[in-house]
Amino acid sequence: MPAEFDLIQRYFTRVTPDAVLGVGDDAALVRVNDRMELAISTDMLVSGTHFFAGADPFLLGHKALAVNLSDMAAMGAQPRWAMLALSLPEVNEVWLEQFSAGFFALAEAHRVSLIGGDTTRGPLNICVTIMGEVPQGKALQRAHAKVGDDIWVSGTLGDAALAVAHLQGRTQLSEAEFLACAKSLHHPMPRVALGLALRDIAHSAIDISDGLLADLGHILEHSKVGAEISLAALPLSSVMQSRFKMMRANTFARQCILSGGDDYELCFTAPQKCRAEVEKLSIPLNISLTHIGQITAGQGCIVRAENGQIVPTEKLGYVHF
Ligand code: ADP
Ligand code: MG
């Protein structure tokens, strides 16, 4: 278990009898009345860890809310309210103007109201808490995957990681390639409508923030099941497809696809009998949905190459500590 989750488990996980769901999922769930539950989640963006110093403030405002909306999507919750805690090194009105414009553009698109927060001086740090509604018992949870379920992912995988690798000089993309990949990194579109549509179809869901293997791994751990996925089935953008070929499926490309963070797509499991129903969602939601494997009675995730061989998967996503 990565140290981050070990820390949370050891120091911050207690029995929470007054919550429907406590620490461990994409959001906590509390009961509001006989009909609704409130899904609540917090995500922080820290300068130097989650974004480079000097990052575009409009895009930062967008992303700070987007990563939180993505957790609502993963719960099948309708996002409603947000709180914003900001630590700022200085008062820079141009920066604040653009940051708030990016934040509110996405908030308005999802009809989310900013209802409070906190502002202090300090190193640049952006923390958003989001709250959303879900009908009682309908939330999508990591713990409810069933043996035999199909495993699906939305959109494409690995573009954000490829863009980061380019910025860090670990690979070189053409300008057009970089711009295409950087969209997922700087301007992720949370899959809120998909999460809502999956409430009555999927057994489990998670958003991919730390890489497919790490995040699918949480579903497997919480559901006490295993998985087998096909490397050839994983949905790739055209940039990644050409890279994947060029680099002959080398370790770097596989790392981007299997372990690259910041994709903010949904990974979910659904009964096989719902396959056509899931496929049908793709057109109205204008998003690709790809069946990548099955939930098994085993443990951990096996990734199989086209030739049937098992792909080694030592590096499993972003490790904070
Ligand atoms: P996600 O990637 O979906 O945002 P995280 O990996 O950040 O989720 O966190 C995993 C779980 O641990 C979540 O349920 C989150 O609320 C909880 N968590 C993280 N940090 C803390 C903390 N300091 N105290 C209590 N719970 C925490
Ligand atoms: Mg999440």
Side-chain angles (χ1 to χ4, degrees), residues 137 139-152 201-205 216 218-228 268-274 291 293-298:
L140 301 169
Q141 297 186 26
R142 297 179 181 182
H144 294 171
K146 304 270 182 301
V147 174
D149 274 2
D150 289 335
I151 305 171
W152 297 82
I201 302 174
H203 280 155
S204 71
L216 174 58
H218 294 311
I219 289 186
L220 304 183
E221 234 173 75
H222 285 244
S223 302
K224 300 187 173 57
V225 292
E228 182 160 331
F268 58 96
T269 79
Q272 288 182 38
K273 65 173 193 310
C274 295
H291 172 207
Q294 300 305 127
I295 294 292
T296 67

Side-chain angles (χ1 to χ4, degrees), residues 212-214 216 220 227 229-231 234 251 254-255 257-259 299-305 309-317:
L212 174 66
L213 288 184
L216 174 58
L220 304 183
I229 61 174
S230 150
L231 188 64
L234 300 178
T251 311
R254 283 173 182 173
Q255 258 174 23
I257 297 158
L258 293 166
S259 311
Q299 243 194 343
C301 183
I302 292 172
V303 182
R304 217 168 277 280
Q309 279 186 349
I310 292 177
V311 176
T313 55
E314 322 71 50
K315 195 167 177 279
L316 291 183

Side-chain angles (χ1 to χ4, degrees), residues 4-5 7-9 11-14 21-28 40-44 67-68 70-71 74 142 206-210 215 218 222 264 320:
E4 177 195 351
F5 298 104
L7 289 181
I8 298 167
Q9 179 74 33
Y11 295 108
F12 300 115
T13 306
R14 296 282 192 278
L21 187 64
V23 170
D25 217 303
D26 292 289
I40 311 168
S41 178
T42 288
D43 251 316
M44 183 155 60
V67 300
N68 279 274
S70 182
D71 279 323
R142 297 179 181 182
I206 191 166
D207 69 319
I208 305 178
S209 53
D210 294 334
D215 289 314
H218 294 311
H222 285 244
Y264 299 102
H320 276 285

